[in-house]
């Protein structure tokens, strides 16, 4: 099934000037970019995006990180986009992510892990709508 997922290139990866490399890898792996924008999240916007994690001990640190500088938000389209993009990202902790994954290549640790990807169809719907209107998707 053709799916859409939300991808974020996080502030650590954008400030390291690795956004272009990530985009190149996405296209080479068959993801179609149907929406893309560079934005800077406010602390409140980062808190809204990560509301599911509001009771976690890392919530403050995570939302500080996600609002420290610009991010690139993209909607990716592909067969099985959600699962395939999660596999391409690698696991949450960059130091444990498999060689060749985006997080192994561009992440630093469990928090500063370079990229985000939706984890289910319901999450993807919420997360895409958080950043994009239907008119912005091509
Ligand atoms: P995911 O991004 O792989 O889906 P989640 O568990 O949904 O991982 O966590 C959201 C984000 O919160 C992670 O990508 C990472 O930036 C951060 N994070 C997750 N677990 C920890 C932790 O134990 N310490 C610090 N930051 C964390
Ligand atoms: Mg998650």
């Amino acid at each position: 099934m053709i799916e859409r997922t939300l991808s974020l290139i996080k502030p650590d990866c954008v400030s390291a000037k690795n956004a272009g490399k990530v985009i190149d890898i996405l296209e080479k792996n068959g993801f179609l970019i149907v929406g893309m924008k560079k934005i800077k999240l406010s602390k409140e916007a980062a808190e809204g995006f990560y509301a599911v994690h509001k009771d976690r001990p890392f919530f403050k640190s995570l939302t500080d990180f996600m609002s420290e500088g610009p991010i690139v938000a993209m909607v990716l389209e592909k067969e099985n986009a959600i699962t395939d993009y999660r596999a391409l990202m690698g696991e949450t902790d960059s130091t444990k992510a498999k060689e060749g994954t985006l997080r192994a290549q561009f992440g630093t640790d469990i928090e500063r892990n370079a990229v985000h990807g939706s984890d289910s169809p319901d999450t993807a719907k919420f997360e895409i709508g958080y950043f994009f209107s239907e008119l912005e998707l091509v």
Side-chain angles (χ1 to χ4, degrees):
M1 196 188 27
I2 297 284
E3 286 179 333
R4 287 178 172 182
T5 191
L6 182 84
S7 160
L8 301 179
I9 304 177
K10 295 185 178 185
D12 57 332
C13 190
V14 172
S15 68
K17 299 194 162 73
N18 286 324
K21 287 176 204 153
V22 170
I23 293 165
D24 187 45
I25 292 167
L26 293 174
E27 293 195 321
K28 288 196 166 110
N29 280 271
F31 293 92
L32 188 65
I33 298 167
V34 299
M36 177 156 70
K37 57 174 82 166
K38 185 176 185 180
I39 48 181
K40 186 175 179 299
L41 294 177
S42 64
K43 175 79 172 168
E44 294 68 34
E47 288 169 351
F49 181 71
Y50 278 119
V52 291
H53 293 311
K54 67 177 178 346
D55 296 324
R56 301 286 198 94
F58 57 82
F59 184 67
K60 183 185 180 299
S61 174
L62 170 62
T63 53
D64 282 346
F65 162 49
M66 289 301 292
S67 57
E68 76 182 24
I71 63 168
V72 176
M74 288 173 282
V75 178
L76 306 178
E77 187 175 273
K78 183 186 173 298
E79 188 90 9
N80 299 319
I82 296 170
T83 308
D84 286 3
Y85 178 54
R86 295 280 300 184
L88 184 61
M89 285 200 303
E91 67 180 276
T92 308
D93 187 343
S94 306
T95 66
K96 294 184 180 148
K98 275 200 212 117
E99 201 186 325
T101 61
L102 294 171
R103 283 167 164 170
Q105 286 177 264
F106 305 115
T108 304
D109 55 29
I110 195 167
E111 179 172 277
R112 303 180 74 84
N113 58 4
V115 285
H116 167 86
S118 309
D119 65 5
S120 72
D122 283 349
T123 312
K125 194 166 193 284
F126 165 75
E127 292 183 348
I128 291 169
Y130 199 81
F131 288 103
F132 295 91
S133 75
E134 203 46 51
L135 286 172
E136 295 173 293
L137 302 178
V138 295

